[in-house]
Amino acid sequence: MEVSPLHHSCTCLPIRSRGVSISPRKSCRVSTDSLRSTRRGNVCLASSSSETLIGSRKEDGKRRKAVNERDEGEDLKSWMHKNGLPPCKVVLKERPSYDEKLRAIHYVAASEDLQAGDVAFAVPNSLVVTLKRVLGNETIAELLTTNKLSELACLALYLMYEKKQGKKSFWYPYIRELDRQRGRGQLAVESPLLWSESELAYLTGSPTKAEVHERAEGIKREYNELDTVWFMAGSLFQQYPYDIPTEAFPFEIFKQAFVAVQSCVVHLQKVSLAQRFALVPLGPPLLAYSSNCKAMLTAANDAVQLVVDRPYKAGESIAVWCGPQPNSKLLINYGFVDEDNSYDRLVVEAALNTEDPQYQDKRMVAQRNGKLSVQAFQVYVGKEKETVSDMLPYLRLGYVSDPSEMQSVISSQGPICPVSPCMESAVLDQLAQYFGTRLAGYPTTLSEDESLLADPNLNPKKRVATQLVRSEKKILHACLLVTIDLKNQLPDLTVTPCPAPYAPSLR
C-alpha cells in the first residue's frame, strides 16, 4: 500500500470559468456565485459534529458517555459481512486512546494464526470508495485527475455529503468508524495539519514545519475550487442538489475531513486512474503502518485484498507497507514517525551561482553528469557518506574559477575537477558550516531529545515531533562527522581555503 506524495496531488489548478454547464440535467448555465447568493439564506452550515467527519473534542467526550448501545451494536465488520464481505481471517479489536477524552482506537488483528502468503481479507469493490464510484463516470474522474484536481478532495467531499444523510447513508457504519479514528493512525496522533501553531512549534528547525504550512495552503486552494468540482460531477449534483460545497461546509470542517481521508486512502496499482485512490474499510487506519513491512493492499478479482508478508499469532495487530516515505511524510500523512524507517531522508539543495561568468559552461557539465543547475541531493539514513561523496564533485565544479581549468573540465569525460588542497579545504569548510548551521537551527540538542523521549508522560504530539527532529539531527550529525573526517584526511591542514567569489549555494 503506497500513498503517492500528497503535496503534489492535493493542489487544485484553478478553472477559469465559474459558469459550468450541468449535465445530464436540462442544459443550463449556472454561476456558482449567483447560486450561492440565492442559497445563502437557506443553507444549513455543517458546523455541528453530526454533519462533519470529525466532531469537536468536547462533543466527542460527551458523545462517548451517551452512546446508544444499540446504535453501536453493529460494528463495521458486521456491516461489511452483511453487504458482501466474504469470510476472512481478521477481527476488530480496540486499544485505549492516548487522550482519555477521545474514544478508543479500533484496529485490525488476526482472528487466527496466519502464515506469510495467507489472504487476511478481500473487500469486494462494492464496499470500496473510489472516484469512479463517487463521480459515477470514469471519464469525468480521469478528466479531474488529468487536470491535477485532487482525488482526496473529491473523496472527502463525497463522505461529507454522505455524513449529512446520517443513518440513511449506505456508508454510515464506515463514516462512524472514521469519526472514531479522528484521522489518528495506529501508532501515534493526528496529522500536524490539525495541530495548533503552538503545537507546530515542536517542529522548529525542521523543514517539515514549512511543509505543513504549504500543504495547508494547498488544501485551502482545494476548498476554493470545490464548487466547480461539484458542478462537473453530475452524480454529486443530482444526489445533493443545491448544497453548494463551500456553503454547506466551512473550511475547517473540510480540512478535518481531508486529513481524515488522507490518513486512510490507499494507492492501488494496476487499475484505472479513476480507481487508483481508494478508501477501503478494514484498511488504514485500522491497519497499522510499517516501513519494513512489504504487505500491500492490492486489487484482485473485483476486490481489494491483503496478503500478509509474515506470520501473525491470533490477536496480533496486522501491518501494511506505507511506501518509501521519509518520516516527515509519515508524520504529515498519518501522524507517526517510524524510528526504524530505512527510507528516512533529508534533502540538501545545492545550486550553481547564476552570476558566475562561467555559469553556462558549468551548467552544461553538470547536466552531462546527470545533475541540474539546482540539484536536490537525497541524504538517506545510513548512507550519509555516499551522499556527501556524491555532492563533492558538484561543489568542486562550482568552485572552479580559472578559465583554463574550466576548459579542462569541459573536455573531461566524467565529473572530474582539478582539486587543489585549498579548493578541497574550501569545499569541505562550506559543507561543514552548512550542516552545523542546520543543526544549530533546532532549539534542542540530540541529548535533550533523548531526555524528553525518556519521559513516559510526554505530550504525544511533542513525542512524535521530537522523534522526527531527532531522526533529522542524526542524519545531519552523521553528514557533519563524514565531512570533518574528510577534512582531517587532507595532507596539509594548514592550507588556507581558496577564495570562492562564485561558490555554489546550499540550503
Side-chain angles (χ1 to χ4, degrees):
M1 191 270 312
E2 179 181 353
V3 179
S4 67
L6 298 176
H7 66 284
H8 292 309
S9 67
C10 78
T11 302
C12 275
L13 293 183
I15 295 179
R16 299 297 180 188
S17 173
R18 302 295 294 180
V20 181
S21 278
I22 302 170
S23 172
R25 293 183 166 231
K26 183 187 295 184
S27 178
C28 61
R29 197 151 184 88
V30 180
S31 164
T32 62
D33 293 333
S34 62
L35 189 50
R36 179 182 293 114
S37 64
T38 60
R39 288 290 298 165
R40 183 166 287 123
N42 300 322
V43 73
C44 176
L45 292 182
S47 57
S48 70
S49 64
S50 64
E51 294 178 333
T52 66
L53 281 184
I54 302 178
S56 72
R57 180 170 297 201
K58 180 178 179 181
E59 289 167 338
D60 186 85
K62 291 180 179 179
R63 190 166 65 250
R64 183 177 55 160
K65 295 179 180 179
V67 148
N68 184 313
E69 293 298 331
R70 288 181 300 175
D71 186 47
E72 292 287 332
E74 181 185 50
D75 66 10
L76 177 68
K77 190 164 176 283
S78 300
W79 167 75
M80 293 178 69
H81 281 304
K82 181 188 295 186
N83 288 280
L85 176 70
C88 56
K89 300 177 181 179
V90 300
V91 64
L92 280 183
K93 302 183 73 174
E94 70 176 38
R95 63 169 56 96
S97 170
Y98 72 86
D99 187 336
E100 64 179 11
K101 297 178 182 178
L102 300 178
R103 301 173 69 189
I105 292 178
H106 282 158
Y107 65 96
V108 170
S111 59
E112 59 188 74
D113 290 351
L114 299 177
Q115 300 300 319
D118 285 352
V119 177
F121 59 76
V123 178
N125 286 346
S126 59
L127 292 173
V128 176
V129 185
T130 63
L131 279 190
K132 182 179 179 180
R133 182 177 190 125
V134 169
L135 302 176
N137 184 306
E138 190 159 345
T139 302
I140 290 291
E142 292 189 6
L143 174 64
L144 292 177
T145 56
T146 300
N147 283 281
K148 310 296 184 185
L149 296 178
S150 168
E151 294 93 341
L152 298 185
C154 295
L155 293 173
L157 179 61
Y158 176 72
L159 290 187
M160 286 194 297
Y161 275 129
E162 284 294 313
K163 172 121 189 210
K164 284 171 69 70
Q165 298 192 56
K167 294 181 182 179
K168 295 180 181 179
S169 170
F170 172 76
W171 299 106
Y172 173 73
Y174 180 43
I175 293 172
R176 184 179 62 194
E177 188 62 47
L178 293 181
D179 276 351
R180 171 190 281 267
Q181 299 299 118
R182 299 184 61 88
R184 296 169 291 174
Q186 291 301 307
L187 302 177
V189 299
E190 300 96 331
S191 163
L193 288 166
L194 299 179
W195 294 8
S196 66
E197 281 300 319
S198 61
E199 290 167 336
L200 285 176
Y202 301 149
L203 297 171
T204 298
S206 170
T208 306
K209 186 175 180 180
E211 290 179 35
V212 171
H213 286 298
E214 183 181 351
R215 182 80 64 84
E217 291 173 2
I219 297 173
K220 181 65 174 179
R221 290 193 294 270
E222 295 269 26
Y223 177 77
N224 291 336
E225 290 298 327
L226 282 183
D227 295 352
T228 304
V229 175
W230 179 70
F231 280 123
M232 288 179 66
S235 61
L236 286 179
F237 185 84
Q238 291 177 34
Q239 193 166 356
Y240 315 106
Y242 305 118
D243 284 344
I244 301 173
T246 56
E247 291 290 352
F249 308 105
F251 170 66
E252 284 304 317
I253 297 304
F254 171 73
K255 182 179 178 181
Q256 291 174 354
F258 185 99
V259 172
V261 168
Q262 171 183 274
S263 72
C264 56
V265 72
V266 174
H267 191 180
L268 297 175
Q269 307 293 325
K270 299 178 181 179
V271 295
S272 68
L273 289 175
Q275 296 173 286
R276 64 179 178 173
F277 286 91
L279 299 175
V280 184
L282 293 186
L286 298 174
L287 290 170
Y289 295 102
S290 174
S291 296
N292 59 19
C293 176
K294 293 302 178 186
M296 300 172 63
L297 288 167
T298 56
N301 302 320
D302 297 321
V304 176
Q305 68 177 20
L306 175 64
V307 178
V308 297
D309 69 330
R310 64 193 66 185
Y312 288 95
K313 294 292 185 183
E316 287 185 341
S317 174
I318 295 179
V320 291
W321 189 44
C322 45
Q325 301 183 68
N327 280 332
S328 58
K329 294 294 185 292
L330 296 182
L331 180 59
I332 293 175
N333 294 337
Y334 318 116
F336 79 95
V337 170
D338 187 345
E339 296 181 300
D340 295 320
N341 184 4
S342 61
Y343 302 101
D344 197 20
R345 62 186 183 270
L346 286 178
V347 176
V348 176
E349 186 179 279
L352 298 174
N353 193 322
T354 56
E355 296 181 0
D356 189 339
Q358 302 183 95
Y359 169 75
Q360 292 299 337
D361 287 339
K362 292 180 179 181
R363 179 170 172 267
M364 176 192 68
V365 172
Q367 290 178 340
R368 188 176 66 191
N369 290 285
K371 299 291 190 292
L372 302 173
S373 56
V374 178
Q375 178 64 39
F377 291 91
Q378 305 285 340
V379 190
Y380 282 86
V381 61
K383 298 191 175 177
E384 294 87 356
K385 185 174 182 179
E386 292 87 339
T387 306
V388 170
S389 297
D390 188 36
M391 293 175 64
L392 288 176
Y394 186 90
L395 296 177
R396 291 169 186 150
L397 175 63
Y399 271 78
V400 174
S401 57
D402 188 279
S404 63
E405 290 182 347
M406 193 64 229
Q407 287 304 312
S408 175
V409 172
I410 292 173
S411 62
S412 68
Q413 296 301 311
I416 305 299
C417 289
V419 181
S420 65
C422 76
M423 175 191 288
E424 193 72 350
S425 180
V427 168
L428 293 174
D429 278 357
Q430 184 185 10
L431 264 182
Q433 183 178 6
Y434 167 78
F435 292 127
T437 300
R438 281 193 64 166
L439 283 167
Y442 295 93
T444 58
T445 63
L446 272 172
S447 60
E448 289 171 335
D449 292 342
E450 298 291 351
S451 297
L452 281 172
L453 294 173
D455 180 2
N457 298 316
L458 183 65
N459 175 291
K461 291 179 181 178
K462 190 167 186 177
R463 179 175 296 279
V464 293
T466 302
Q467 289 173 333
L468 177 73
V469 297
R470 181 182 63 170
S471 69
E472 293 176 347
K473 291 174 196 173
K474 285 183 175 180
I475 294 175
L476 292 170
H477 191 256
C479 288
L480 179 59
L481 291 181
V482 168
T483 306
I484 292 174
D485 185 56
L486 290 172
K487 173 87 173 183
N488 290 335
Q489 293 177 30
L490 293 178
D492 187 352
L493 296 177
T494 65
V495 173
T496 302
C498 290
Y502 302 108
S505 62
L506 291 171
R507 70 178 185 90

mmCIF file with all atom_site columns, all heavy atoms in Angstrom, residues 381-392:
data_model
loop_
_atom_site.group_PDB
_atom_site.id
_atom_site.type_symbol
_atom_site.label_atom_id
_atom_site.label_alt_id
_atom_site.label_comp_id
_atom_site.label_asym_id
_atom_site.label_entity_id
_atom_site.label_seq_id
_atom_site.pdbx_PDB_ins_code
_atom_site.Cartn_x
_atom_site.Cartn_y
_atom_site.Cartn_z
_atom_site.occupancy
_atom_site.B_iso_or_equiv
_atom_site.pdbx_formal_charge
_atom_site.auth_seq_id
_atom_site.auth_comp_id
_atom_site.auth_asym_id
_atom_site.auth_atom_id
_atom_site.pdbx_PDB_model_num
ATOM 1  N N   . VAL A 1 381 ? 19.128 7.893  5.484  1.00 0.00 ? 381 VAL A N   1
ATOM 2  C CA  . VAL A 1 381 ? 19.694 7.483  6.759  1.00 0.00 ? 381 VAL A CA  1
ATOM 3  C C   . VAL A 1 381 ? 20.608 6.273  6.531  1.00 0.00 ? 381 VAL A C   1
ATOM 4  O O   . VAL A 1 381 ? 20.278 5.349  5.797  1.00 0.00 ? 381 VAL A O   1
ATOM 5  C CB  . VAL A 1 381 ? 18.575 7.138  7.769  1.00 0.00 ? 381 VAL A CB  1
ATOM 6  C CG1 . VAL A 1 381 ? 17.705 5.975  7.294  1.00 0.00 ? 381 VAL A CG1 1
ATOM 7  C CG2 . VAL A 1 381 ? 19.161 6.841  9.146  1.00 0.00 ? 381 VAL A CG2 1
ATOM 8  N N   . GLY A 1 382 ? 21.794 6.326  7.126  1.00 0.00 ? 382 GLY A N   1
ATOM 9  C CA  . GLY A 1 382 ? 22.748 5.249  6.970  1.00 0.00 ? 382 GLY A CA  1
ATOM 10 C C   . GLY A 1 382 ? 23.612 5.356  5.728  1.00 0.00 ? 382 GLY A C   1
ATOM 11 O O   . GLY A 1 382 ? 24.560 4.587  5.561  1.00 0.00 ? 382 GLY A O   1
ATOM 12 N N   . LYS A 1 383 ? 23.286 6.302  4.838  1.00 0.00 ? 383 LYS A N   1
ATOM 13 C CA  . LYS A 1 383 ? 24.052 6.458  3.602  1.00 0.00 ? 383 LYS A CA  1
ATOM 14 C C   . LYS A 1 383 ? 24.569 7.892  3.460  1.00 0.00 ? 383 LYS A C   1
ATOM 15 O O   . LYS A 1 383 ? 24.716 8.412  2.356  1.00 0.00 ? 383 LYS A O   1
ATOM 16 C CB  . LYS A 1 383 ? 23.188 6.080  2.394  1.00 0.00 ? 383 LYS A CB  1
ATOM 17 C CG  . LYS A 1 383 ? 22.741 4.619  2.430  1.00 0.00 ? 383 LYS A CG  1
ATOM 18 C CD  . LYS A 1 383 ? 22.116 4.170  1.137  1.00 0.00 ? 383 LYS A CD  1
ATOM 19 C CE  . LYS A 1 383 ? 21.801 2.681  1.199  1.00 0.00 ? 383 LYS A CE  1
ATOM 20 N NZ  . LYS A 1 383 ? 21.125 2.208  -0.034 1.00 0.00 ? 383 LYS A NZ  1
ATOM 21 N N   . GLU A 1 384 ? 24.849 8.486  4.598  1.00 0.00 ? 384 GLU A N   1
ATOM 22 C CA  . GLU A 1 384 ? 25.321 9.867  4.602  1.00 0.00 ? 384 GLU A CA  1
ATOM 23 C C   . GLU A 1 384 ? 26.674 10.000 3.900  1.00 0.00 ? 384 GLU A C   1
ATOM 24 O O   . GLU A 1 384 ? 26.916 10.963 3.170  1.00 0.00 ? 384 GLU A O   1
ATOM 25 C CB  . GLU A 1 384 ? 25.426 10.373 6.048  1.00 0.00 ? 384 GLU A CB  1
ATOM 26 C CG  . GLU A 1 384 ? 24.083 10.480 6.761  1.00 0.00 ? 384 GLU A CG  1
ATOM 27 C CD  . GLU A 1 384 ? 23.644 9.184  7.428  1.00 0.00 ? 384 GLU A CD  1
ATOM 28 O OE1 . GLU A 1 384 ? 24.361 8.168  7.275  1.00 0.00 ? 384 GLU A OE1 1
ATOM 29 O OE2 . GLU A 1 384 ? 22.603 9.184  8.095  1.00 0.00 ? 384 GLU A OE2 1
ATOM 30 N N   . LYS A 1 385 ? 27.572 9.040  4.095  1.00 0.00 ? 385 LYS A N   1
ATOM 31 C CA  . LYS A 1 385 ? 28.896 9.105  3.479  1.00 0.00 ? 385 LYS A CA  1
ATOM 32 C C   . LYS A 1 385 ? 28.794 9.072  1.964  1.00 0.00 ? 385 LYS A C   1
ATOM 33 O O   . LYS A 1 385 ? 29.482 9.832  1.264  1.00 0.00 ? 385 LYS A O   1
ATOM 34 C CB  . LYS A 1 385 ? 29.769 7.947  3.969  1.00 0.00 ? 385 LYS A CB  1
ATOM 35 C CG  . LYS A 1 385 ? 31.207 8.015  3.473  1.00 0.00 ? 385 LYS A CG  1
ATOM 36 C CD  . LYS A 1 385 ? 32.062 6.926  4.098  1.00 0.00 ? 385 LYS A CD  1
ATOM 37 C CE  . LYS A 1 385 ? 33.510 7.026  3.635  1.00 0.00 ? 385 LYS A CE  1
ATOM 38 N NZ  . LYS A 1 385 ? 34.366 5.974  4.272  1.00 0.00 ? 385 LYS A NZ  1
ATOM 39 N N   . GLU A 1 386 ? 27.925 8.201  1.438  1.00 0.00 ? 386 GLU A N   1
ATOM 40 C CA  . GLU A 1 386 ? 27.753 8.111  -0.006 1.00 0.00 ? 386 GLU A CA  1
ATOM 41 C C   . GLU A 1 386 ? 27.211 9.418  -0.583 1.00 0.00 ? 386 GLU A C   1
ATOM 42 O O   . GLU A 1 386 ? 27.631 9.863  -1.654 1.00 0.00 ? 386 GLU A O   1
ATOM 43 C CB  . GLU A 1 386 ? 26.799 6.959  -0.352 1.00 0.00 ? 386 GLU A CB  1
ATOM 44 C CG  . GLU A 1 386 ? 27.338 5.569  -0.073 1.00 0.00 ? 386 GLU A CG  1
ATOM 45 C CD  . GLU A 1 386 ? 27.091 5.098  1.351  1.00 0.00 ? 386 GLU A CD  1
ATOM 46 O OE1 . GLU A 1 386 ? 26.871 5.947  2.238  1.00 0.00 ? 386 GLU A OE1 1
ATOM 47 O OE2 . GLU A 1 386 ? 27.112 3.881  1.577  1.00 0.00 ? 386 GLU A OE2 1
ATOM 48 N N   . THR A 1 387 ? 26.281 10.049 0.126  1.00 0.00 ? 387 THR A N   1
ATOM 49 C CA  . THR A 1 387 ? 25.694 11.289 -0.374 1.00 0.00 ? 387 THR A CA  1
ATOM 50 C C   . THR A 1 387 ? 26.704 12.426 -0.368 1.00 0.00 ? 387 THR A C   1
ATOM 51 O O   . THR A 1 387 ? 26.784 13.206 -1.322 1.00 0.00 ? 387 THR A O   1
ATOM 52 C CB  . THR A 1 387 ? 24.461 11.686 0.459  1.00 0.00 ? 387 THR A CB  1
ATOM 53 O OG1 . THR A 1 387 ? 23.546 10.594 0.495  1.00 0.00 ? 387 THR A OG1 1
ATOM 54 C CG2 . THR A 1 387 ? 23.767 12.895 -0.151 1.00 0.00 ? 387 THR A CG2 1
ATOM 55 N N   . VAL A 1 388 ? 27.468 12.535 0.708  1.00 0.00 ? 388 VAL A N   1
ATOM 56 C CA  . VAL A 1 388 ? 28.496 13.582 0.762  1.00 0.00 ? 388 VAL A CA  1
ATOM 57 C C   . VAL A 1 388 ? 29.501 13.385 -0.375 1.00 0.00 ? 388 VAL A C   1
ATOM 58 O O   . VAL A 1 388 ? 29.906 14.351 -1.037 1.00 0.00 ? 388 VAL A O   1
ATOM 59 C CB  . VAL A 1 388 ? 29.205 13.579 2.135  1.00 0.00 ? 388 VAL A CB  1
ATOM 60 C CG1 . VAL A 1 388 ? 30.435 14.491 2.102  1.00 0.00 ? 388 VAL A CG1 1
ATOM 61 C CG2 . VAL A 1 388 ? 28.251 14.034 3.233  1.00 0.00 ? 388 VAL A CG2 1
ATOM 62 N N   . SER A 1 389 ? 29.878 12.135 -0.627 1.00 0.00 ? 389 SER A N   1
ATOM 63 C CA  . SER A 1 389 ? 30.805 11.843 -1.735 1.00 0.00 ? 389 SER A CA  1
ATOM 64 C C   . SER A 1 389 ? 30.196 12.221 -3.076 1.00 0.00 ? 389 SER A C   1
ATOM 65 O O   . SER A 1 389 ? 30.916 12.658 -3.989 1.00 0.00 ? 389 SER A O   1
ATOM 66 C CB  . SER A 1 389 ? 31.173 10.358 -1.724 1.00 0.00 ? 389 SER A CB  1
ATOM 67 O OG  . SER A 1 389 ? 31.860 10.014 -0.536 1.00 0.00 ? 389 SER A OG  1
ATOM 68 N N   . ASP A 1 390 ? 28.882 12.065 -3.208 1.00 0.00 ? 390 ASP A N   1
ATOM 69 C CA  . ASP A 1 390 ? 28.205 12.428 -4.450 1.00 0.00 ? 390 ASP A CA  1
ATOM 70 C C   . ASP A 1 390 ? 28.124 13.945 -4.619 1.00 0.00 ? 390 ASP A C   1
ATOM 71 O O   . ASP A 1 390 ? 28.118 14.459 -5.744 1.00 0.00 ? 390 ASP A O   1
ATOM 72 C CB  . ASP A 1 390 ? 26.796 11.820 -4.457 1.00 0.00 ? 390 ASP A CB  1
ATOM 73 C CG  . ASP A 1 390 ? 26.088 11.983 -5.796 1.00 0.00 ? 390 ASP A CG  1
ATOM 74 O OD1 . ASP A 1 390 ? 26.761 11.914 -6.847 1.00 0.00 ? 390 ASP A OD1 1
ATOM 75 O OD2 . ASP A 1 390 ? 24.858 12.181 -5.790 1.00 0.00 ? 390 ASP A OD2 1
ATOM 76 N N   . MET A 1 391 ? 28.072 14.667 -3.508 1.00 0.00 ? 391 MET A N   1
ATOM 77 C CA  . MET A 1 391 ? 27.967 16.119 -3.562 1.00 0.00 ? 391 MET A CA  1
ATOM 78 C C   . MET A 1 391 ? 29.293 16.798 -3.904 1.00 0.00 ? 391 MET A C   1
ATOM 79 O O   . MET A 1 391 ? 29.310 17.872 -4.518 1.00 0.00 ? 391 MET A O   1
ATOM 80 C CB  . MET A 1 391 ? 27.465 16.662 -2.213 1.00 0.00 ? 391 MET A CB  1
ATOM 81 C CG  . MET A 1 391 ? 26.043 16.284 -1.865 1.00 0.00 ? 391 MET A CG  1
ATOM 82 S SD  . MET A 1 391 ? 25.599 16.847 -0.201 1.00 0.00 ? 391 MET A SD  1
ATOM 83 C CE  . MET A 1 391 ? 25.728 18.616 -0.422 1.00 0.00 ? 391 MET A CE  1
ATOM 84 N N   . LEU A 1 392 ? 30.405 16.189 -3.515 1.00 0.00 ? 392 LEU A N   1
ATOM 85 C CA  . LEU A 1 392 ? 31.699 16.854 -3.654 1.00 0.00 ? 392 LEU A CA  1
ATOM 86 C C   . LEU A 1 392 ? 32.045 17.252 -5.089 1.00 0.00 ? 392 LEU A C   1
ATOM 87 O O   . LEU A 1 392 ? 32.474 18.394 -5.321 1.00 0.00 ? 392 LEU A O   1
ATOM 88 C CB  . LEU A 1 392 ? 32.804 15.975 -3.050 1.00 0.00 ? 392 LEU A CB  1
ATOM 89 C CG  . LEU A 1 392 ? 32.806 15.901 -1.519 1.00 0.00 ? 392 LEU A CG  1
ATOM 90 C CD1 . LEU A 1 392 ? 33.882 14.932 -1.028 1.00 0.00 ? 392 LEU A CD1 1
ATOM 91 C CD2 . LEU A 1 392 ? 33.018 17.277 -0.909 1.00 0.00 ? 392 LEU A CD2 1
#
